[in-house]
Amino acid sequence: SGMSLVEALFSMAERGPIRTRIFFEEFKSAIHEGKSFEKAIGTLQVAFEDRMADQFFEALLLAKTLGGGNLLYLLRQLGDFIRQDLSFRLEVEGKQGWVRNSAHVAAVAPWLLLLMLSLQPSTAASYSSSTGFLVILFGALATILAYLWMESLARLPEPRRIFGV
């Protein structure tokens, strides 16, 4: 809109999202104190603590270094990349939800079957002995271990911050 990159970032202190205005106010103060653009952007990266914000700020540093002629193209490409990344992550999380739900069902199903079988007097008598108690105890331990293992497998790792300060 005709503003310089620094002026546009300054304006975010008044017109940006309310939760981020304080960060851009700190950026504005850092520039007015004589810090370089790179160091001031570094303070924004530290404040945001987000890998996608890091990518955005690194794109701004690149645009500042190389000139702003391709800034719009660069930001569009970055936006497309971030949208694809989020879409892929949501798809994987959805599929991981199915794995997690399967783990819940697999952990509960044998115990429901045991509960239904225990309604028969002969089954109840066989599990009321000390050997039956050991079988139930071993089954409970195996179920807990298998459930915890499935939960650890279903957990997605958080992506690392590549450009983090």
Side-chain angles (χ1 to χ4, degrees):
S1 65
M3 288 188 203
S4 72
L5 187 54
V6 175
E7 290 171 338
L9 292 173
F10 282 177
S11 72
M12 293 298 288
E14 289 95 31
R15 290 188 267 163
I18 293 170
R19 292 176 53 187
T20 63
R21 288 181 185 177
I22 187 78
F23 304 143
F24 288 103
E25 190 63 45
E26 291 171 7
F27 170 80
K28 191 176 185 180
S29 297
I31 293 291
H32 287 308
E33 290 171 3
K35 287 187 179 176
S36 68
F37 181 77
E38 291 79 12
K39 287 188 181 187
I41 287 288
T43 61
L44 282 174
Q45 285 178 310
V46 169
F48 274 83
E49 294 181 5
D50 182 71
R51 68 183 183 89
M52 292 186 189
D54 287 343
Q55 293 172 356
F56 173 73
F57 293 131
E58 288 295 325
L60 293 182
L61 285 173
L62 188 63
K64 180 78 171 167
T65 304
L66 301 176
N70 291 326
L71 179 61
L72 186 58
Y73 175 75
L74 179 66
L75 291 177
R76 280 189 181 142
Q77 290 293 103
L78 180 61
D80 289 343
F81 173 74
I82 289 173
R83 275 190 293 281
Q84 289 172 359
D85 186 39
L86 286 173
S87 174
F88 177 72
R89 186 150 182 89
L90 288 174
E91 183 179 335
V92 169
E93 285 174 356
K95 290 182 181 183
Q96 288 298 96
W98 283 96
V99 170
R100 185 167 272 135
N101 287 338
S102 297
H104 295 303
V105 170
V108 170
W111 298 102
L112 289 176
L113 179 64
L114 179 64
L115 182 66
M116 289 183 350
L117 289 175
S118 69
L119 297 176
Q120 295 180 358
S122 61
T123 307
S126 65
Y127 283 111
S128 62
S129 68
S130 61
T131 307
F133 177 75
L134 286 175
V135 168
I136 289 175
L137 184 64
F138 177 74
L141 288 174
T143 301
I144 290 169
L145 287 174
Y147 181 79
L148 292 174
W149 181 56
M150 283 297 278
E151 280 290 316
S152 70
L153 289 176
R155 194 173 306 119
L156 287 176
E158 283 297 315
R160 292 183 15 243
R161 288 177 66 188
I162 297 170
F163 299 112
V165 178

